[in-house]
Amino acid sequence: MRRLTMWLVSASALAACRPAADKNAESRTGDTTSAAAPAPASAGPMAIVTVLYNQPKDTAAFEKYYASSHIPLVQANQQEIGFVRADLTKFSSTADGKKPPFYRQAELYFNSMDDLKKGMSTAGFKKVADDLANFATGGLTGMIATASNTHETGSGNAPAAIVTVIYKTPKDTAAFEKYYSESHLPLVTASKNEIGFERAELTKFSSNLDGTPASRYRQAELYFPSMAALKKGVATPGFKKVAGDLSKFATGGFDALIGAETK
């Protein structure tokens, strides 16, 4: 279900969105290579605009425009929009080696939901949103989430390799949340040293950017220091235990993707 939720989103539609989710992040050992400088430590909740790009019709044309035009446009309007960090990820495959359903992900972090709402009402944000039609030929999904306990440590000079699990809406959200918090996350934590990931980021989406129900339910990201470390980690018994546990609560299905941070 890859919906074109934010195709040429208008400023009025963006301003109409409503937050209702939170993102819990374990310690972040390094900043993602991004279009913006890393955010300072934050004790309060942060708000996130997440854009998932579908596979474009022409990846070379996408990458050329993305790097030469879109990212500079985002950077030029950062101060007006008010986001404090931008994390960019490019997916290379699914966890089982197939073509990923999503091509890229971009996340804009704001210090609060009020800042996010204010930022989305600016002329600068409208410029960025209107620019999407110039390169995102496969369409995209835009969603909103909130973050808590997000902080940065380390230099963040090397791009990380990432296992990203994007959960679709489960049949029973209460059952999902109970198992997720009481069983799955403790299993992930217990396997961390064996798997070798440096941090885990957990996102719960609240809505699409146009105010409609979120196209995805949650996202979990495991960050590794390199692709070699990721490949080693996913081959461990610990990772296989974590992956095998997904069917016990992810009743709506999910996409498991391999990717890397990019500028």
Side-chain angles (χ1 to χ4, degrees):
M1 185 178 65
R2 300 192 292 275
R3 301 173 55 194
L4 310 186
T5 357
M6 200 182 75
W7 190 249
L8 286 175
V9 182
S10 68
S12 59
L14 294 172
C17 64
R18 293 292 182 269
D22 55 11
K23 177 174 179 176
N24 304 310
E26 295 183 0
S27 76
R28 300 169 58 94
T29 58
D31 178 36
T32 56
T33 306
S34 64
S42 175
M46 298 186 76
I48 312 163
V49 169
T50 298
V51 177
L52 284 165
Y53 294 98
N54 297 337
Q55 293 288 340
K57 296 177 181 179
D58 185 332
T59 56
F62 182 110
E63 290 299 321
K64 181 178 180 180
Y65 190 94
Y66 195 60
S68 63
S69 298
H70 187 69
I71 296 305
L73 178 65
V74 174
Q75 292 173 323
N77 289 279
Q78 178 180 354
Q79 185 172 359
E80 180 185 358
I81 297 171
F83 65 90
V84 295
R85 191 173 86 238
D87 293 353
L88 310 179
T89 304
K90 185 177 181 181
F91 300 116
S92 56
S93 70
T94 61
D96 57 2
K98 298 178 182 178
K99 185 176 181 178
F102 297 109
Y103 181 66
R104 272 188 174 272
Q105 176 174 261
E107 297 170 290
L108 300 184
Y109 286 76
F110 296 79
N111 279 327
S112 68
M113 188 57 66
D114 285 342
D115 285 351
L116 183 149
K117 291 179 181 179
K118 181 179 178 181
M120 291 194 306
S121 68
T122 61
F125 191 87
K126 187 178 187 304
K127 288 179 184 177
V128 171
D130 288 347
D131 190 51
L132 296 172
N134 292 325
F135 67 97
T137 53
L140 54 87
T141 298
M143 295 177 285
I144 288 179
T146 55
S148 60
N149 302 323
T150 299
H151 63 280
E152 300 291 338
T153 60
S155 64
N157 290 327
I162 312 164
V163 172
T164 300
V165 179
I166 305 174
Y167 296 98
K168 299 176 183 179
T169 302
K171 297 176 182 178
D172 185 333
T173 58
F176 181 110
E177 291 299 322
K178 180 177 174 63
Y179 190 93
Y180 194 59
S181 61
E182 296 179 359
S183 300
H184 187 69
L185 295 185
L187 178 63
V188 175
T189 300
S191 304
K192 179 179 179 181
N193 290 338
E194 180 186 354
I195 297 172
F197 64 90
E198 295 184 329
R199 70 181 187 272
E201 294 192 357
L202 313 177
T203 302
K204 187 177 181 184
F205 299 111
S206 58
S207 71
N208 292 323
L209 288 182
D210 59 4
T212 57
S215 297
R216 294 296 186 272
Y217 182 66
R218 273 191 175 271
Q219 176 173 276
E221 297 168 291
L222 300 184
Y223 286 76
F224 295 79
S226 67
M227 190 57 70
L230 183 152
K231 291 180 179 179
K232 181 179 179 181
V234 299
T236 61
F239 186 87
K240 292 177 181 178
K241 288 180 182 178
V242 170
D245 192 53
L246 295 175
S247 62
K248 297 179 180 179
F249 65 96
T251 53
F254 59 88
D255 293 306
L257 312 173
I258 302 297
E261 297 169 336
T262 69
K263 294 183 178 180

